[in-house]
């Protein structure tokens, strides 16, 4: 029996099979890359969970300037920072974090009070609206 299939149709089928093979190969590679990214992310998250902040501990000190009072800075094992400022009349606490050793200055207390500086030097400046000053602490 003779093959009556048109040579043009045959070429089209071969091209289509090659195209499908290429698409499947690309999808496979993308899937493998995605799996690798997921595994990398899991590994990084595990490292972060096991990390202990070198600044962990309790710090006490003062802030002076336009107003003054006492500071208490508690750094958790994971690097979360709780800052409490005390004045004669009030006390307020807020949470922030680090960018390297420096305080994350996007977080402020409800009053607008925020520390600028870092725990390497254990000093810096503070701001609260138009009020400003300096602060220092020591590790207990």
């Amino acid at each position: 029996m003779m093959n009556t299939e048109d040579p043009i149709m045959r070429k089209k089928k071969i091209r289509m099979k090659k195209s499908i093979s290429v698409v499947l190969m690309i999808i496979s590679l993308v899937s493998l890359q995605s799996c690798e990214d997921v595994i990398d992310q899991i590994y990084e998250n595990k490292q972060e969970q096991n990390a202990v902040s070198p600044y962990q501990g309790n710090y006490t000190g003062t802030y002076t300037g336009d107003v003054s009072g006492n500071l208490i800075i508690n750094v958790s094992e994971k690097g979360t920072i709780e800052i409490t400022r005390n004045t004669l009349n009030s006390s307020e606490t807020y949470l922030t974090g680090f960018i390297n050793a420096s305080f994350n200055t996007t977080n402020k207390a409800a009053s607008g009070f925020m520390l600028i500086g870092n725990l390497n030097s254990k000093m810096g400046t503070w701001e609260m609206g138009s009020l400003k000053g300096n602060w220092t602490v020591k590790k207990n």
Side-chain angles (χ1 to χ4, degrees):
M1 197 170 212
M2 219 174 183
N3 188 354
T4 59
E5 188 174 9
D6 181 14
I8 294 174
M9 284 300 288
R10 193 170 186 196
K11 286 182 180 179
K12 283 183 179 181
K13 283 183 179 179
I14 291 171
R15 247 188 262 141
M16 186 181 292
K17 285 181 181 179
K18 285 182 180 179
S19 296
I20 290 172
S21 295
V22 168
V23 168
L24 289 174
M25 189 179 303
I26 290 171
I27 290 172
S28 296
L29 289 173
V30 168
S31 296
L32 287 174
Q33 181 63 36
S34 295
C35 289
E36 187 176 305
D37 290 345
V38 168
I39 291 169
D40 287 347
Q41 187 63 45
I42 290 169
Y43 180 73
E44 286 177 24
N45 288 346
K46 220 173 198 29
Q47 282 184 319
E48 284 179 18
Q49 289 172 357
N50 294 332
V52 175
S53 173
Y55 303 100
Q56 178 183 359
N58 186 36
Y59 300 76
T60 56
T62 58
Y63 64 99
T64 58
D66 294 334
V67 294
S68 61
N70 295 316
L71 285 174
I72 301 170
I73 301 172
N74 287 307
V75 180
S76 75
E77 181 178 307
K78 302 298 179 204
T80 302
I81 304 164
E82 180 183 77
I83 298 174
T84 302
R85 75 176 189 101
N86 297 307
T87 64
L88 291 175
N89 302 328
S90 67
S91 175
E92 78 175 328
T93 300
Y94 72 101
L95 296 177
T96 190
F98 282 128
I99 299 175
N100 297 322
S102 298
F103 293 111
N104 177 350
T105 58
T106 60
N107 295 359
K108 301 177 182 181
S111 66
F113 181 87
M114 73 173 178
L115 294 182
I116 303 163
N118 65 63
L119 287 180
N120 279 335
S121 63
K122 298 179 187 68
M123 62 189 328
T125 60
W126 62 268
E127 293 179 2
M128 184 171 64
S130 62
L131 303 175
K132 298 178 188 300
N134 299 306
W135 62 269
T136 60
V137 293
K138 64 180 170 106
K139 190 170 184 179
N140 298 330

